[in-house]
Amino acid sequence: MFAEKYSDEIQAILSKYPPEQRRAAVMPLIYLAQREQMYVTKQAMVEIAEILGISSTDVASIVGFYTLYYDKVGSTYRVQVCTDLPCALRGAEQFLEGLCNNLGIRVGETTPDGAVMVEAVMCLAACDKAPMFQVQSGDGLSYHENQTVESAASLVAELRRKAQSKRRDGHGR
Amino acid sequence: MKMVNLTIDGKTVTVPEGTLIVNAAKKVGIDIPVFCYHPKMEPVGMCRMCLVEIGRPVIDRTTGQVVREDDGSPKMQFGPKLETACTTPVSEGMVVLGTSEKAKAGRQDIIEFLLTSHPLDCPICDKGGECPLQNLTMEFGPGESRYLYDEKMHLAKHVPLGELIYLDRERCIQCGRCVRFQDQVVDDPVIGFFQRGRSLEIVTYSEPGFDSVFSGNTTDICPVGALTTTDFRFKARPWELRSAASICTQCPVGCNIAFNTRREAVSGGKWVIKRVMPRQNEWVNEIWMCDKGRFGYHYSKSAERLTQPLVRRQGELAPATWEEALSFVAERFQQAGDGLFSIAGGRLSNEDLYNQGKLTDSLGGKKVLYGTMGGGDLTAQSGLVPGSNFSDMGKETAILVVASDLHEEAPIWWLRVKQAAERGAQLIVANPRPTRLDAYATHLVRYPYGSEAGALLAMVNTLSAKRPDLPEAVANLVRSPELKAAAKAFAEAENAVILYGSEGTGLETSTALAQSCQNLLLATGHIGRINNGLVAVWQRVNDQGAWELGWRPVANLPEAMQAARALYVAAADPAGDDPAYLAEGRLGSQEQAFLVVQDLFLTATARLADVVLPVQAWTEREGSYTSGERRVQRFYPVVPELADSYADFSVAGQIGKRLGLDMEIRLAGRTFARLASETPAFTGLSYARLAEVVEQWPIVGRGDLYYGGTTYENSQGIGVQLPLTSAGGLSWPKLVEVGMPKIGLLAVPITRLYDHGSTLLPSSMLHQRIPEPYVVLNDQDAERLKISEGAAIQLIPAEGGSWLGVRAIARLRSDVPERIVLVPRSFGLPVAGPTVVSVRLAERVLA
């Protein structure tokens, strides 16, 4: 399914690597497989393994190792707030708490419409611009720096609208 | 090799350069504790259990000389931190302290750290009693934990990684031995790490779970109770077990194994087998075994076993006493005289074959080995000589594997050949279709089914002036650059070994193949030296032994049997393998021949018999087998014999005694002594010789802290490799032209590891891995014939005969040559060699 649907993209990715080392393409292929539904299905892992000539367990291991790959259904958007020490010194923890209160969820939870999840993560390399977070979706990552609860809340509201329209268009959740 | 001197805990050691400290220590009897390090795998330094203090002599940079203290001793520089003994190679003048206060404190810390998330549920853990974590905790542990019990992680304790192996996530200490074994050693990377740090877990995503025929080995090398087998899980405690040495009977490798037994109330006070473990033999199976051997032994304790002799009375088989049965048999054999026709299966021991052979020969009867592979006489002339060992093969060796799917036919040989290739051996794989060995091959040769002998002769052709005529099917192979390159690599290698199997061959083609193999070895001078020669990948454990003792297969068994006045069938089931025997009444009709069947089970052939004689399983008696490498190895009694039962050799002996023959009926050892005195290749051998052992490296199986796994130490015999009998000569085989039929398809037999053999099916735990009867078709052919994947089909032999009762599932593959049907042996379709067939789906005839 995955291999068929994205055959052009897969070929484009594979063409960047020497054929005898095509297993090196595992990361971008997982990323591609995650684009639509924000998680990698078991079927997609099997297909990636087949494309690359490795075992599906190897593919799963990589999904498991990296924190930005998911093997279970989650939210459309993930708001990942850095709470490491330098960010904490600039009020990241209060920011996170405020944002969660605003949304009526706890850290690690998803909004009832399944659109946005808020989680605390380790260093995102923008200590001087905290509070900051990144938003992960099937389209990729975007950074949002020097945030307030209000600015973040309005961004989340926008994300929830987008998620709703995405669902209407028949894309995954 | 440059040698290096160092001191470990005050002991001076001299070891080759590059040796790891942990191994150097073991050589002088010092145990440095390890978890993640395993002597059969690359070191990773993950667990830190082997921390030691290391001092190195200070070298003056200007002079390059060792700086000396005032008293003349070298000045030592100790590192600021402890170092891992498993990843650090030795260096000249090094001083290693494994028992200093600093090193001890380091170990205590590591143990304490490992125990923070270990449940310490030793009282209910299968590993308890043979667990290095338990042992090391007792030895180095802090005694009291500073960690809060309530903060321990609690994780899933019954995670099935497939139906054979269970994972207890709490007990896992994340050493990665299992993952590394599956990846590096057997190349089945079907288990892996998932998540990181404390969340790390072992997962499998294969279908079926943990899809590897070597999976049981991970439970041996797991240093905790995280991985356990379904077979042994919660069945017994290690300290209750007794062990008995044995040999696996599932294939010609002859893996050394140990049976663990216990006398238990739940089994009515009987001694029962609780598990099978590998036993170290670095010349045969090293410290490994495959799952077929580990889980396939259950047939020996099947409730279906025959327990008393049966004699046909008024058309029905009825129980009889041994005296009645044996006297009756002896009388009828006497009457039959030279009309006695003995058929023996290759799962009989040397002693059984010797006695049955003696009986048959004395009456002037005929001995027939049941099977479809030839060349056992040639492996005796040109086999591996004593001292040969796959583990020693590397760059200077070429290994040719022909007509064999080695991973299915003999998994441990597959592993050892693969590892030789990884050490730099030239690996030539010649087979009509791709197999798992292709991935390691330096040369691949493809030939059409039926032309295996021709392909080998084509190799000889490219090398020598001798130009035997080649069949048309392979004439063009001589011009193939792959074949030329393969032949050249084979000829130029200092040492060369050929393993030939039975992929697609019947007796005729197999015999021609063996002769062609010998020709290639002779033409290139690869006979009679260590690590050179011919190995047959037999279908049964002791086929080679049968050949050594003068048993030979026949091309057309039904025809050969026609003149028989009495048939003596032991450990073979012709009627079960080929229903034609039933349909055509060739067996078991009184007027034709008196039929005696000697077996463990009431087989299809036994049901036709006039007399059925039960025998002891190999776990209930002593004996010896001759492996495909011609290593004669002993097996010992594991459990007490059943009341009133005899081993095969004794049954044959008792019949012989009644005919006035001087035969041994009690002791396998004495039978073997007689065998050895009469069989040139066995000259000088005795049970005592076979039981001799030597020190093996790596040291495993003792309760030590340098932990190699629960593989048993070999204290009962590594066996003896037979010498070559004669050099053998160049003789050009008669090639059987197996061309493609004008119409129809060519059905060829192949071997599956998990088959429908009577010695495997009783192991119900393997049933999920044993497929339904199936055949494999080329996908294009299937499309033409309108057969879809999974369709039920029947094969109809072109030369007549009827297998209509036998159905099989069609599997479609693109890598099967066109117009070929692969038919796995023992799945009910009696394809004994290349056979022209048509395929029939439901009621229609298609091709």
Side-chain angles (χ1 to χ4, degrees), chain B residues 452-462 468-470 516 519 732-733 735:
Chain B
E452 43 286 315
L456 270 265
L457 290 182
M459 285 178 76
V460 182
N461 246 356
T462 66
D469 294 334
L470 293 174
S516 308
N519 287 357
W732 300 105
L735 286 190

Side-chain angles (χ1 to χ4, degrees), chain B residues 187-329:
Chain B
D187 196 16
D188 276 331
V190 294
I191 54 171
F193 290 137
F194 198 81
Q195 297 271 10
R196 296 186 258 177
R198 273 184 129 58
S199 308
L200 189 139
E201 61 178 303
I202 307 293
V203 293
T204 179
Y205 274 71
S206 66
E207 194 55 54
F210 208 159
D211 186 15
S212 169
V213 300
F214 298 105
S215 68
N217 294 300
T218 59
T219 65
D220 291 336
I221 57 174
C222 177
V224 293
L227 294 178
T228 48
T229 65
T230 310
D231 200 22
F232 184 61
R233 199 174 139 78
F234 305 142
K235 295 284 165 59
R237 313 311 311 274
W239 57 84
E240 302 164 344
L241 300 174
R242 284 202 197 168
S243 88
S246 191
I247 301 295
C248 177
T249 56
Q250 297 285 2
C251 87
V253 174
C255 285
N256 291 207
I257 56 173
F259 277 97
N260 279 155
T261 56
R262 177 176 84 161
R263 195 172 164 244
E264 59 185 22
V266 285
S267 301
K270 282 198 295 213
W271 282 95
V272 284
I273 296 167
K274 303 309 290 185
R275 64 176 180 181
V276 173
M277 307 294 266
R279 184 165 55 101
Q280 186 177 26
N281 191 332
E282 291 295 321
W283 293 267
V284 178
N285 55 310
E286 302 180 31
I287 60 171
W288 316 120
M289 70 185 297
C290 77
D291 290 352
K292 187 180 188 183
R294 190 183 297 263
F295 303 124
Y297 68 92
H298 288 266
Y299 76 90
S300 69
K301 47 183 189 182
S302 160
E304 307 288 308
R305 285 267 306 274
L306 290 167
T307 53
Q308 56 184 331
L310 304 173
V311 173
R312 193 169 293 280
R313 291 189 181 110
Q314 283 102 44
E316 295 292 322
L317 283 173
T321 64
W322 277 103
E323 180 52 43
E324 283 170 331
L326 292 171
S327 301
F328 185 35
V329 170

Side-chain angles (χ1 to χ4, degrees), chain B residues 289-555:
Chain B
M289 70 185 297
C290 77
D291 290 352
K292 187 180 188 183
R294 190 183 297 263
F295 303 124
Y297 68 92
H298 288 266
Y299 76 90
S300 69
K301 47 183 189 182
S302 160
E304 307 288 308
R305 285 267 306 274
L306 290 167
T307 53
Q308 56 184 331
L310 304 173
V311 173
R312 193 169 293 280
R313 291 189 181 110
Q314 283 102 44
E316 295 292 322
L317 283 173
T321 64
W322 277 103
E323 180 52 43
E324 283 170 331
L326 292 171
S327 301
F328 185 35
V329 170
E331 186 190 318
R332 298 300 295 261
F333 280 5
Q334 185 92 59
Q335 288 166 13
D338 62 2
L340 175 63
F341 195 90
S342 259
I343 301 173
R347 68 164 203 262
L348 293 175
S349 76
N350 293 324
E351 296 74 13
D352 305 334
L353 290 159
Y354 170 78
N355 263 9
Q356 191 178 344
K358 194 88 192 159
L359 170 64
T360 311
D361 288 343
S362 301
L363 291 171
K366 191 165 168 52
K367 302 196 300 243
V368 170
L369 173 61
Y370 187 69
T372 57
M373 262 184 91
D377 47 345
L378 303 182
T379 50
Q381 292 169 1
S382 333
L384 294 175
V385 297
S388 298
N389 186 349
F390 279 111
S391 297
D392 296 336
M393 297 177 196
K395 280 188 192 67
E396 65 302 320
T397 312
I399 303 175
L400 166 59
V401 179
V402 57
S404 175
D405 184 351
L406 208 48
H407 192 264
E408 297 285 330
E409 292 179 14
I412 292 293
W413 279 347
W414 175 88
L415 173 60
R416 303 190 80 208
V417 167
K418 162 201 178 261
Q419 291 187 321
E422 286 171 338
R423 285 188 296 269
Q426 296 281 320
L427 175 60
I428 304 158
V429 179
N431 205 57
R433 66 175 171 117
T435 67
R436 288 254 344 232
L437 204 53
D438 290 7
Y440 316 94
T442 47
H443 302 277
L444 275 180
V445 176
R446 292 263 180 267
Y447 57 81
Y449 274 101
S451 301
E452 43 286 315
L456 270 265
L457 290 182
M459 285 178 76
V460 182
N461 246 356
T462 66
L463 295 169
S464 75
K466 282 258 181 199
R467 295 203 178 271
D469 294 334
L470 293 174
E472 201 185 323
V474 290
N476 58 344
L477 268 181
V478 184
R479 288 183 294 278
S480 137
E482 290 84 19
L483 182 125
K484 276 187 186 163
K488 189 161 177 281
F490 189 88
E492 286 176 357
E494 192 185 323
N495 299 322
V497 173
I498 302 180
L499 293 112
Y500 73 96
S502 52
E503 166 95 11
T505 59
L507 181 60
E508 256 185 312
T509 38
S510 170
T511 307
L513 171 62
Q515 184 64 57
S516 308
C517 292
Q518 192 185 41
N519 287 357
L520 180 59
L521 289 165
L522 282 166
T524 55
H526 287 307
I527 285 181
R529 292 180 289 122
I530 286 178
N531 293 340
N532 287 272
L534 183 62
V535 177
V537 189
W538 298 110
Q539 289 162 10
R540 284 165 201 89
V541 58
N542 202 30
D543 277 337
Q544 184 64 46
W547 279 83
E548 303 287 344
L549 296 168
W551 292 81
R552 298 286 181 271
V554 289

Side-chain angles (χ1 to χ4, degrees), chain B residues 3 35 70 75 155 193 274 296 312 484 536 726 758 766 828:
Chain B
M3 300 303 279
F35 285 122
D70 294 342
K75 185 174 177 187
L155 301 166
F193 290 137
K274 303 309 290 185
R312 193 169 293 280
K484 276 187 186 163
S726 75
S758 61
L766 284 169

Side-chain angles (χ1 to χ4, degrees), chain B residues 84-156:
Chain B
T84 46
C86 78
T87 56
T88 313
V90 296
S91 63
E92 188 60 40
M94 184 184 260
V95 172
V96 178
L97 303 177
T99 48
S100 67
E101 286 310 310
K102 205 172 160 188
K104 276 187 186 162
R107 284 176 197 174
Q108 184 164 329
D109 290 347
I110 295 294
I111 289 281
E112 187 178 10
F113 178 66
L114 287 175
L115 294 182
T116 56
S117 53
H118 187 86
L120 283 173
D121 57 347
C122 310
I124 58 149
C125 178
D126 289 317
K127 202 83 174 190
E130 55 183 13
C131 172
L133 180 60
Q134 195 179 32
N135 294 344
L136 287 172
T137 302
M138 300 303 283
E139 184 95 14
F140 299 107
E144 213 165 277
S145 178
R146 287 177 287 173
Y147 204 75
L148 297 175
Y149 188 80
D150 292 342
E151 289 181 12
K152 280 216 170 191
M153 293 194 56
H154 286 289
L155 301 166

Side-chain angles (χ1 to χ4, degrees), chain B residues 4 15 30 40 98 166 184 235 249 323-324 327 654 714 800:
Chain B
V4 173
V15 290
I30 297 170
K40 293 275 184 191
Y166 271 81
Q184 294 171 15
K235 295 284 165 59
T249 56
E323 180 52 43
E324 283 170 331
S327 301
Q654 291 181 61
N714 195 326

Side-chain angles (χ1 to χ4, degrees), chain A residues 42 45 55-58 60-67 71, chain B residues 183 188-196 203-207:
Chain A
K42 196 168 174 186
M45 293 187 208
S55 78
S56 49
T57 306
D58 280 342
S61 280
I62 290 167
V63 172
F65 184 83
Y66 289 100
T67 51
D71 68 330
Chain B
D183 186 31
D188 276 331
V190 294
I191 54 171
F193 290 137
F194 198 81
Q195 297 271 10
R196 296 186 258 177
V203 293
T204 179
Y205 274 71
S206 66
E207 194 55 54

